Amino acid sequence: MDAQALKQTIKEIATKGKGILAADESTPTMGKRLAGINVESTEEKRRDYRQALFTTSGCEEFISGVILFEETLKQKARDGTPLSGVLTKKGIVPGIKVDKGLVELEGTSEKVTQGLEGLGDRLDDYKQHGARFAKWRAVYSISDSTPSDAVIKENASRLAKYAKVCQEHDVAPIVEPEVLINGDHSIERCAEVTEAVLKEVFVALDKEGVLLEGMILKPSMVISGKENDSRAGVEEVAKQTLEIFKKTIPESVQTINFLSGGQTPEESTAHLQAMNKMDDAPWYLSFSYGRALQEPALKAWAGKAENEKACQDAFFKRAKLNGLATKGEYSTDME
Ligand code: 13P
């Protein structure tokens, strides 16, 4: 493990004013997104859309890293340049989703993340294609009886093992425990679950000897369930999220890059702004948004080459506003 190389990658990604674009939708997930705009999901269409995002003029002012799916990492732009090269030329660090999705944990109705088998060999291959960081997502579903202790423990253990293998290959891991927003639970219930999840994740990372300065934490926010009738407001989300983080996340973690997890683009930006405005967090607080950065851009594109500029304008706007939010300089009248 080259600790210096890992820290350098983290330093480049955790640049004030910048965050990560998650564009690593698997082929089936991208198929669903494209179906939503009535576009058939072909390899070429997926490439054209991602090429439009990555070539957005000036996006590198606010985007320091992009997470790719394997297909995209190995794809070429229309002029033959590898898409990862398009990013590195702009000073953006390419990353790669390495988990292999969710499977049922035996004896439960809950899901754990798979993909540890052969991970080291895959990382060697991804590095050849320019990837310097990786992502593994675990999910936790809230109900009266879930997530179970078994799922919390198993996901933590797998996240930590993945992170260790990444660091042994000098690839900086994104550790992503996502407490899902689906359901009608209260913000307090989300706080309780998030605390238990993060606590276990850091126990497991410590057990594996993962270098905390050489990883990125990508958590969900502490937030009311999407179907809750009296959802907590922006300030409350920011306050409760930071409260739980202070109890569970060591200060040696350098950067926390939130997922958006089904929040609207505007909500995701407002929450990030509110947390950075509170200004007392020991970590860099930024974004690693998928849908919250892409939704308006995807809609504007609608699968048509003539809409590429409109797509890029929409993406640029969200990237810029989130970049401002990392500095506490966003306000809703910029929408
Ligand atoms: P969302 O911001 O759409 O949740 O996507 C982030 C991500 O990478 C999920 O794994």
Side-chain angles (χ1 to χ4, degrees), residues 82-335:
L83 285 177
S84 66
V86 168
L87 295 172
T88 44
K89 220 183 268 172
K90 281 163 137 341
I92 297 174
V93 185
I96 174 77
K97 170 192 172 75
V98 301
D99 68 67
K100 293 274 185 193
L102 307 173
V103 278
E104 206 160 273
L105 179 64
E106 226 179 275
T108 74
S109 58
E110 296 173 282
K111 302 265 200 296
V112 286
T113 308
Q114 62 183 347
L116 285 171
E117 220 180 88
L119 177 59
D121 291 342
R122 286 197 285 132
L123 286 169
D124 286 336
D125 176 41
Y126 299 148
K127 271 167 55 175
Q128 297 291 323
H129 288 86
R132 290 173 56 199
F133 70 101
K135 172 190 125 171
W136 177 290
R137 170 175 176 258
V139 300
Y140 307 85
S141 186
I142 299 186
S143 71
D144 290 344
S145 57
T146 62
S148 63
D149 288 346
V151 153
I152 291 177
K153 278 214 157 58
E154 187 59 28
N155 268 328
S157 159
R158 293 181 187 205
L159 275 166
K161 286 190 174 122
Y162 137 81
K164 184 68 189 163
V165 177
C166 285
Q167 291 192 338
E168 282 166 355
H169 287 76
D170 304 328
V171 172
I174 291 185
V175 171
E176 179 178 2
E178 175 174 5
V179 176
L180 296 169
I181 201 170
N182 313 63
D184 62 359
H185 51 269
S186 65
I187 188 169
E188 286 77 19
R189 174 80 178 124
C190 181
E192 179 183 277
V193 169
T194 305
E195 181 172 353
V197 163
L198 288 175
K199 209 167 139 193
E200 199 58 40
V201 165
F202 282 97
V203 167
L205 290 169
D206 181 56
K207 195 168 150 211
E208 290 294 333
V210 171
L211 178 74
L212 299 185
E213 293 85 347
M215 61 161 261
I216 294 165
L217 181 70
K218 174 165 173 167
S220 38
M221 296 177 193
V222 173
I223 192 166
S224 318
K226 197 107 180 165
E227 284 91 49
N228 186 286
D229 302 329
S230 50
R231 302 187 71 209
V234 171
E235 293 303 313
E236 194 58 24
V237 168
K239 188 172 142 268
Q240 294 221 27
T241 301
L242 290 180
E243 261 171 33
I244 295 300
F245 283 10
K246 281 178 194 153
K247 285 194 203 169
T248 51
I249 305 174
E251 293 195 7
S252 43
V253 171
Q254 302 294 299
T255 181
I256 296 177
N257 293 65
F258 290 100
L259 57 93
S260 60
Q263 297 182 43
T264 65
E266 294 79 9
E267 263 182 319
S268 314
T269 311
H271 287 143
L272 183 60
Q273 161 70 17
M275 279 185 250
N276 277 301
K277 209 60 198 163
M278 289 181 180
D279 204 31
D280 58 349
W283 324 274
Y284 178 49
L285 295 175
S286 183
F287 57 91
S288 174
Y289 293 158
R291 284 161 288 178
L293 279 171
Q294 292 187 53
E295 260 168 22
L298 187 64
K299 233 189 238 162
W301 178 61
K304 298 194 177 81
E306 65 265 31
N307 293 338
E308 192 168 289
K309 178 73 171 60
C311 167
Q312 294 180 330
D313 288 348
F315 171 55
F316 184 86
K317 176 177 172 185
R318 295 291 1 136
K320 179 176 177 176
L321 296 183
N322 284 302
L324 288 172
T326 67
K327 300 196 270 187
E329 292 172 4
Y330 160 83
S331 71
T332 49
D333 55 20
M334 295 170 177
E335 290 291 351

